[in-house]
């Protein structure tokens, strides 16, 4: 199969003919990768079980790991879910459209293929104009996991998508780099208090300002364990190079890089602005951004990991952000990517 790259530029993000072309593929049961404000998604018609099955094949995603359904309106959230607790409406008002995914009991229209057999469905309203235009034009909810091969870093531009999925999907809508760069926050509203299943673009602190209390899924689950957050298997988001995390100080980072150079032939470094690295031709440096500017660092995290891996590094050294605010999502992704 030839994967078409449908390029949307600058002010023409709502280029109607290209969006319509992609929507026609979705309606016909095909696969289209598309940008959201977080990362690129790999979309199929959520009401077409056969089409959704193809997502798992293209991604090589295990059948036990359910997908997120993307819709365009709060009404659609209510249409495909049931028994919504009262906080649902307040969360929708506060955070959507945007990077918040709600886990709620599903209605019948959503097939078991989407939810991997569960009776809950993860659903969100993305804010990216291309994602919204695609959902509207398709006239159907769109099931979409991140558009990477299973276990790999999520794609934040169309090159990443094609690197993993070229030839396996019909098209990618290319609107450049995604603005946030880490996936949505996933919160399970079927527990009391709600459970934060995956930290992401909406911080735990922001959720607490609406929900009062939020339960944390603390220890990462064993690889392949199916409950209660199936996609949170231990090793995930990982580049092919080995990821070495260090304490977030310039001194620890310098020492960890030097140490890695003594053990690996080619080493990558995710370097914060103004931090030092040893002078050494075997070292490849990715200029990550200003330490503490979590938005910028989130935006460039997966880009950096994929860039350094392409430069044939055997190990990548990276300082570990703290577990607070948006940095919590970075901490989570990096810890998982560093697992054996
Ligand atoms: O930002 C995002 O959320 C991106 C964009 C494309 O929307 N999507 C994304 O999808 O990251 P994915 O499949 O890579 O991650 C979805 C996570 C997985 O960990 C999955 O296991 C979990 O949500 N999930 C999906 N349905 C669930 C359910 N019914 N109950 C619990 N967790 C669920
Ligand atoms: Mg994913």
């Amino acid at each position: 199969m030839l994967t078409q790259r449908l390029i949307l530029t600058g002010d023409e993000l709502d280029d109607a003919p290209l969006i319509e072309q992609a929507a026609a593929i979705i309606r016909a049961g095909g696969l289209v990768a598309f940008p959201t404000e977080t990362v690129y998604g790999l979309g199929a018609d959520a009401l077409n079980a056969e089409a959704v099955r193809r997502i798992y094949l293209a991604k090589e995603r295990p059948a036990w790991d359910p997908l997120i359904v993307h819709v365009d309106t709060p009404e659609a959230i209510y249409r495909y879910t049931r028994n919504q607790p009262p906080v649902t409406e307040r969360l929708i008002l506060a955070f959507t459209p945007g990077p918040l995914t709600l886990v709620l009991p599903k209605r019948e229209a959503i097939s078991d293929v989407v939810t991997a057999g569960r009776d809950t469905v993860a659903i969100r309203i993305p804010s990216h104009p291309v994602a919204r235009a695609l959902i509207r034009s398709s006239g159907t909810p769109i099931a979409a996991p991140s558009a990477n091969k299973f276990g790999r870093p999520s794609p934040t531009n169309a090159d990443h998508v094609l690197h993993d999925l070229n030839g396996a999907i019909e098209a990618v809508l290319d609107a450049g780099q995604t603005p946030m760069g880490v996936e949505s926050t996933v919160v399970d509203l079927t527990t009391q208090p709600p459970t934060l299943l995956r930290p992401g673009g909406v911080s735990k602190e922001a959720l607490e300002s609406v929900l009062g209390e939020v339960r944390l899924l603390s220890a990462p689950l064993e690889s392949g364990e199916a409950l209660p957050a199936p996609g949170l298997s231990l090793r995930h988001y990982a580049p092919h190079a080995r990821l070495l995390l260090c304490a977030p100080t310039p001194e620890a980072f310098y020492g960890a890089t030097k140490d890695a150079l003594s053990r690996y032939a080619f080493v990558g470094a995710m370097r914060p602005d103004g931090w030092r690295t040893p002078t050494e031709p075997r070292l490849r440096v990715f200029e990550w951004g200003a330490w503490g500017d979590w938005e910028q660092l989130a935006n460039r995290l997966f880009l950096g990991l994929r860039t350094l891996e392409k430069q044939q590094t055997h190990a990548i050294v990276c300082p570990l952000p703290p577990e607070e605010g948006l940095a919590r999502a970075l901490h989570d992704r990096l810890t998982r990517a560093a697992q054996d």
Side-chain angles (χ1 to χ4, degrees):
M1 175 192 313
L2 195 66
T3 301
Q4 297 182 69
R5 187 196 278 253
L6 308 173
I7 302 176
L8 303 159
T9 47
D11 345 313
E12 296 172 314
L13 284 189
D14 52 354
D15 182 311
L18 285 187
I19 301 274
E20 183 43 44
Q21 199 179 331
I25 296 172
I26 296 280
R27 284 195 298 268
L31 302 183
V32 177
F34 63 96
T36 77
E37 70 279 19
T38 58
V39 301
Y40 276 71
L42 174 55
D45 179 354
L47 305 183
N48 177 343
E50 225 20 76
V52 173
R53 221 168 256 126
R54 289 192 51 214
I55 293 179
Y56 289 84
L57 290 177
K59 270 192 69 120
E60 296 167 17
R61 182 179 176 108
W64 47 257
D65 196 0
L67 311 177
I68 295 177
V69 172
H70 296 69
V71 294
D72 189 36
T73 61
E75 293 69 48
I77 292 185
Y78 286 91
R79 190 173 326 132
Y80 296 113
T81 64
R82 57 193 165 78
N83 295 349
Q84 306 86 358
V87 291
T88 309
E89 197 177 328
R90 276 187 281 142
L91 285 177
I92 291 175
L93 268 176
F95 300 116
T96 72
L100 180 65
T101 298
L102 308 177
V103 173
L104 287 163
K106 81 175 183 79
R107 284 195 203 267
E108 233 161 75
I110 302 295
S111 89
D112 284 345
V113 187
V114 173
T115 66
R118 291 162 179 266
D119 51 335
T120 56
V121 62
I123 194 162
R124 82 179 191 95
I125 307 176
S127 63
H128 197 292
V130 173
R132 312 214 44 191
L134 180 65
I135 298 164
R136 267 197 307 275
S137 283
S138 302
T140 184
I142 295 183
S146 48
N148 49 280
K149 279 258 155 69
F150 182 71
R152 300 260 305 135
S154 290
T156 58
N157 64 42
D159 287 340
H160 298 167
V161 174
L162 290 170
H163 179 272
D164 282 17
L165 299 173
N166 196 8
I169 64 178
E170 274 79 9
V172 52
L173 277 166
D174 179 353
Q177 186 76 12
T178 59
M180 299 202 70
V182 289
E183 303 85 345
S184 63
T185 300
V186 181
V187 62
D188 184 350
L189 298 184
T190 68
T191 63
Q192 192 46 259
T195 306
L196 179 64
L197 295 180
R198 180 177 73 182
V202 171
S203 71
K204 170 173 173 275
E205 293 80 357
L207 276 180
E208 279 166 344
S209 73
V210 171
L211 292 175
E213 199 188 342
V214 177
R215 205 162 61 106
L216 271 185
L217 245 197
S218 39
L221 303 169
E222 288 301 313
S223 193
E225 187 181 336
L227 290 164
L232 303 182
S233 53
L234 211 45
R235 184 172 163 86
H236 219 93
Y237 313 105
H240 292 310
R242 187 175 180 114
L243 187 59
L244 307 171
L245 302 176
C246 68
T249 65
E251 299 71 31
F253 176 67
Y254 186 91
T257 308
K258 204 166 171 57
D259 181 56
L261 281 164
S262 74
R263 293 189 290 130
Y264 297 90
F266 290 94
V267 173
M270 297 282 287
R271 182 166 69 186
D273 294 352
W275 291 26
R276 286 193 324 122
T277 44
T279 312
E280 161 64 71
R282 293 183 294 115
L283 182 68
R284 282 87 169 92
V285 173
F286 179 78
E287 304 294 353
W288 191 7
W291 192 254
D293 181 349
W294 308 124
E295 275 160 33
Q296 183 188 29
L297 298 176
N299 175 262
R300 293 168 59 74
L301 172 67
F302 291 134
L303 174 68
L305 295 179
R306 282 185 180 255
T307 302
L308 291 174
E309 137 187 304
K310 260 178 72 183
Q311 296 173 342
Q312 314 297 332
T313 54
H314 301 107
I316 296 172
V317 180
C318 184
L320 184 62
E323 292 183 88
E324 63 191 38
L326 180 59
R328 184 187 297 275
L330 303 185
H331 181 102
D332 172 80
R333 303 309 186 272
L334 283 166
T335 322
R336 288 178 204 288
Q339 296 293 334
D340 291 312

